[in-house]
């Protein structure tokens, strides 16, 4: 049975349609990710998210090319490495990604982070000029038709404002860490006012959210799993969830989100105490640690 979520899309500011839920591929190895993509396509997924930093673009591209579904029915996204802060580096990286993936175009490419990873949450330098340079390379590839949409990731309000001062094409998405217990409400509202779609990565908080009794209690009330509640929560915020898994069972379960969380429960979930420790993932800069 086809899950309803797979028939739904958001519309980006340039009119492009983006499937309302994607499959994240962070930490899925290059040699197994092709199979994960093919399994997901069978289940109904049409939106796939990778990055130069994941080291698995080749495998994702192979999965896209061999999954048996026409290319134009799939939405494929990658990210410019956070370290690419010159026009030349970003431009070369975009072409390399297309070559590595064996694709003529990407549906979207985004800047992975306003700061190089070693400086995320560690320095005041927001790389204003470097981001403008990388953006210029994305705009050019967009105008050439190599990319159908362009955006950013991990950008704060100040980063977006600075980029938009000089951008000819406005960012269409901002992909950020967003889950129950870590919901950047102010950033979401700013982006929604600016017609920038927020994509929510790690919507299940790498499983750490499964250990929260109050979240479990709300999931039980709706007769759903905690991951299903987490994904539904991000959808009701108007964001696009990118749950990551290579397990077909989990892929299937993650898409069973055809229920509604009440307004009062949404408010409760927005104020769940912030996760202090992401376990083995705590060392990653997006979770406040150092690489």
């Amino acid at each position: 049975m086809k899950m309803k979520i797979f028939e739904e899309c958001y519309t980006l500011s340039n009119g492009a349609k983006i499937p309302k839920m994607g499959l994240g591929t962070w930490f899925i190895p290059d040699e197994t990710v092709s199979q994960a993509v093919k399994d997901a396509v069978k289940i109904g997924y049409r939106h796939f998210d990778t990055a130069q930093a994941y080291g698995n673009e080749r495998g994702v591209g192979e999965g896209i090319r061999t999954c048996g579904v026409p290319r134009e029915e799939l939405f494929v996204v990658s990210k410019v490495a956070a370290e690419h802060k010159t026009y030349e580096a970003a431009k070369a990286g975009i072409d390399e990604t297309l070559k590595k993936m064996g694709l003529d175009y990407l549906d979207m490419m985004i800047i992975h982070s306003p700061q190089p990873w070693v400086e995320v949450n560690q320095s005041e330098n927001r790389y204003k000029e470097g981001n403008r340079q990388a953006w210029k390379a994305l705009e050019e590839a967009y105008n050439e038709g190599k990319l159908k949409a362009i955006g950013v990731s991990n950008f704060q309000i100040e980063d977006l404002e600075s980029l938009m001062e000089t951008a000819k094409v406005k960012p269409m998405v901002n992909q950020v860490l967003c889950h129950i217990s870590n919901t950047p409400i102010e950033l979401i509202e700013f982006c929604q006012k600016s017609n920038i779609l927020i994509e929510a990565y790690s919507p299940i908080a790498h499983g750490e959210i499964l250990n929260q009794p109050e979240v479990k209690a709300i999931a039980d009330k709706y007769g759903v799993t905690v991951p299903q509640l987490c994904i539904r929560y991000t959808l009701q915020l108007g964001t696009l969830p990118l749950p990551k898994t290579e397990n077909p069972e989990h892929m299937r379960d993650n898409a069973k989100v055809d229920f509604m969380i009440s307004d009062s429960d949404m408010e409760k979930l927005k104020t769940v105490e912030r996760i202090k420790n992401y376990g083995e993932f705590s060392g990653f800069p997006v979770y406040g640690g150092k690489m």
Side-chain angles (χ1 to χ4, degrees):
M1 182 188 100
K2 195 169 182 199
M3 271 72 87
K4 191 164 164 243
I5 188 71
F6 294 135
E7 288 158 20
E8 297 176 8
C9 289
Y10 286 116
T11 303
L12 298 177
S13 57
N14 69 341
K17 296 266 189 273
I18 182 169
K20 228 175 205 185
M21 184 160 98
L23 183 78
T25 63
W26 189 27
F27 278 113
I28 303 181
D30 195 44
E31 57 277 9
T32 58
V33 75
S34 168
Q35 190 54 50
V37 168
K38 289 189 273 199
D39 290 340
V41 166
K42 272 199 198 88
I43 289 162
Y45 286 80
R46 293 294 181 265
H47 175 178
F48 298 90
D49 184 88
T50 181
Q52 292 172 352
Y54 299 172
N56 63 9
E57 289 177 315
R58 185 211 61 81
V60 171
E62 183 188 306
I64 296 296
R65 294 192 317 272
T66 59
C67 69
V69 167
R71 170 68 185 93
E72 61 275 11
E73 289 178 26
L74 302 171
F75 197 98
V76 186
V77 183
S78 191
K79 306 179 191 78
V80 172
E83 293 67 30
H84 289 175
K85 296 300 180 208
T86 65
Y87 163 77
E88 292 75 18
K91 180 181 165 67
I94 294 163
D95 290 337
E96 192 185 330
T97 285
L98 286 165
K99 193 172 159 200
K100 212 175 257 180
M101 297 186 79
L103 300 174
D104 297 331
Y105 68 92
L106 285 184
D107 296 277
M108 186 161 70
M109 196 145 186
I110 64 185
I111 296 175
H112 207 155
S113 164
Q115 299 171 295
W117 288 122
V118 292
E119 288 184 47
V120 171
N121 301 324
Q122 315 296 332
S123 109
E124 296 297 305
N125 185 353
R126 301 308 293 181
Y127 287 84
K128 277 186 174 181
E129 189 47 41
N131 288 315
R132 288 171 176 182
Q133 289 291 317
W135 189 251
K136 189 178 149 197
L138 282 173
E139 286 180 330
E140 190 178 273
Y142 173 70
N143 289 328
E144 289 169 355
K146 292 176 185 175
L147 310 172
K148 304 290 185 193
I150 52 178
V152 295
S153 180
N154 298 303
F155 272 50
Q156 297 304 313
I157 292 173
E158 58 170 315
D159 303 317
L160 288 163
E161 286 176 335
S162 153
L163 191 66
M164 290 195 286
E165 278 171 23
T166 57
K168 293 187 174 71
V169 180
K170 206 166 69 169
M172 292 153 204
V173 307
N174 186 15
Q175 188 180 120
V176 301
L177 179 68
C178 174
H179 56 72
I180 294 168
S181 89
N182 184 1
T183 307
I185 297 292
E186 200 190 341
L187 179 62
I188 291 172
E189 286 172 354
F190 174 86
C191 287
Q192 288 172 341
K193 279 195 191 90
S194 310
N195 205 3
I196 297 169
L197 175 68
I198 287 268
E199 296 187 299
Y201 68 75
S202 303
I204 306 163
H206 281 293
E208 288 304 313
I209 201 83
L210 306 178
N211 309 324
Q212 308 271 351
E214 55 183 316
V215 177
K216 174 85 170 77
I218 294 177
D220 289 346
K221 174 177 159 184
Y222 290 96
V224 298
T225 65
V226 171
Q228 286 162 344
L229 182 79
C230 288
I231 291 167
R232 182 73 221 171
Y233 169 80
T234 58
L235 285 163
Q236 283 184 221
L237 290 172
T239 72
L240 190 155
L242 295 165
K244 174 249 135 174
T245 179
E246 55 180 322
N247 177 328
E249 269 321 292
H250 292 169
M251 289 176 191
R252 208 169 271 115
D253 286 344
N254 287 346
K256 293 175 181 164
V257 288
D258 193 15
F259 62 97
M260 284 302 281
I261 302 170
S262 72
D263 290 349
S264 61
D265 284 335
M266 279 298 287
E267 288 313 309
K268 264 186 222 155
L269 291 169
K270 279 179 195 172
T271 57
V272 167
E273 194 186 343
R274 192 170 180 143
I275 291 176
K276 301 271 192 299
N277 181 356
Y278 286 93
E280 62 178 310
F281 293 96
S282 296
F284 287 96
V286 291
Y287 301 106
K290 294 181 182 177
M291 283 294 251

